[in-house]
Amino acid sequence: MPCQKRLSSALPSSLLLPLNFFYVQSKCNLNWKRSSGKKRGERVRCSAVGVGVGVEDEACELVNGVELSIGEGDDNIQAYLFKAVKNNNGAGVLLLSDIFGFQDSATRDFAYQVACHGYNVLVPDLFRGDPWEKGRPKPMFEQWLASQDPQRVANDIATSTKWMVDEFRAAGISKKLGIIGFCFGGGRVIDVLAADQGACFSTAVSFYGTRMDLAAASKIKVPVLFISGDDDLLCPIGVLSKFEKIIGNGSRVVIFEGRGHAFAHRPGSTEEDADAEQAFTLMRNWLHDGLLVNS
């Protein structure tokens, strides 16, 4: 069934933002090298705020970004859209954040890096302005998580997907979308793909997904790249292997030795920097093959 037929009625034209309209510009550096004087584990890389210290002249194409309000009524949510300008490849990627939300700097920087490679990346607010905050007492986590209604989250992701589909249709682009997620978002990737069944998304990457439903695996119709570490108690390797086998379609599991949770988008050491760079390259190549080569 065509993607648009699996989604609710079209958004009003007043909510459609042309893909060539944005208000923030800066360049980013594709190299993840640290400059002298930078503290351990801190990378010089793309930034949604500006260019980092030590960024070289060999910068990627310009990337523009804008904060959006999408959907209507109870379905209205906030999101951030990054778009490659000169090297735009016409493909869209929906990025689902970890528990720290769409405004978190690590998530936005990662989304910016993806856009640097030619993509249009939408990062929705999955928590309606109430992400988990690092200062909150840990015993409150389960209570906070329970307040994030799974159906509401699923509806917000559907609203985000529909917005991207409408934008691409208005721009005359018919390519399918890719979806990637970290931690909480990595788990929701599985839920989304099971419901979508290949209608809108043609490829996916799940970074150390949490609370993933193995029963949903048999409903997924597209290949998924799973990236995690063997020291991640929140995303057991054995579970990922089961997902890979059930989903099939060329799905793949890549495990980084000695790495724990969130290493790919929140590296905390020089060693993790190197593995984070490799993980990013794996994801980049996966998206390229799934959205550009095999689309």
Side-chain angles (χ1 to χ4, degrees), residues 19-38:
L19 287 174
N20 61 355
F21 177 77
F22 303 87
Y23 66 78
V24 178
Q25 282 196 350
S26 61
K27 289 186 177 181
C28 70
N29 180 21
L30 295 183
N31 299 315
W32 287 22
K33 297 184 292 184
R34 285 169 301 280
S35 62
S36 59
K38 303 292 282 185

Side-chain angles (χ1 to χ4, degrees), residues 32-196:
W32 287 22
K33 297 184 292 184
R34 285 169 301 280
S35 62
S36 59
K38 303 292 282 185
K39 64 183 179 181
R40 180 178 177 83
E42 183 177 352
R43 291 169 293 173
V44 175
R45 60 177 183 173
C46 310
S47 172
V49 177
V51 181
V53 176
V55 171
E56 300 174 355
D57 292 334
E58 293 82 5
C60 69
E61 300 291 348
L62 288 174
V63 170
N64 288 349
V66 63
E67 194 154 343
L68 307 170
S69 178
I70 60 179
E72 290 186 302
D74 292 340
D75 292 330
N76 178 257
I77 61 171
Q78 302 302 303
Y80 207 91
L81 178 68
F82 294 99
K83 169 183 171 284
V85 179
K86 294 183 180 179
N87 64 335
N88 197 298
N89 58 31
V93 175
L94 182 63
L95 190 156
L96 306 182
S97 73
D98 60 16
I99 59 175
F100 299 108
F102 84 124
Q103 291 183 322
D104 178 76
S105 61
T107 294
R108 287 202 176 184
D109 280 356
F110 196 96
Y112 201 89
Q113 292 176 59
V114 177
C116 278
H117 288 82
Y119 296 95
N120 305 288
V121 185
L122 184 69
V123 188
D125 177 10
L126 300 180
F127 308 112
R128 296 289 185 100
D130 182 31
W132 178 253
E133 297 176 0
K134 296 179 181 179
R136 290 184 182 180
K138 289 184 178 180
M140 293 181 60
F141 178 76
E142 292 299 331
Q143 179 182 350
W144 168 83
L145 188 62
S147 71
Q148 306 297 330
D149 178 53
Q151 188 57 55
R152 194 271 303 158
V153 172
N155 290 342
D156 288 351
I157 295 173
T159 296
S160 302
T161 303
K162 183 185 182 327
W163 186 90
M164 296 190 78
V165 170
D166 286 343
E167 288 299 305
F168 276 47
R169 188 191 309 138
I173 300 172
S174 60
K175 293 179 180 177
K176 288 188 177 181
L177 307 174
I179 182 170
I180 61 181
F182 308 111
C183 315
F184 175 88
R188 304 297 67 73
V189 164
I190 299 302
D191 300 336
V192 172
L193 294 178
D196 182 65

Side-chain angles (χ1 to χ4, degrees), residues 251-262:
S251 294
R252 182 184 177 193
V253 174
V254 178
I255 302 299
F256 285 81
E257 184 178 356
R259 295 294 161 248
H261 200 62

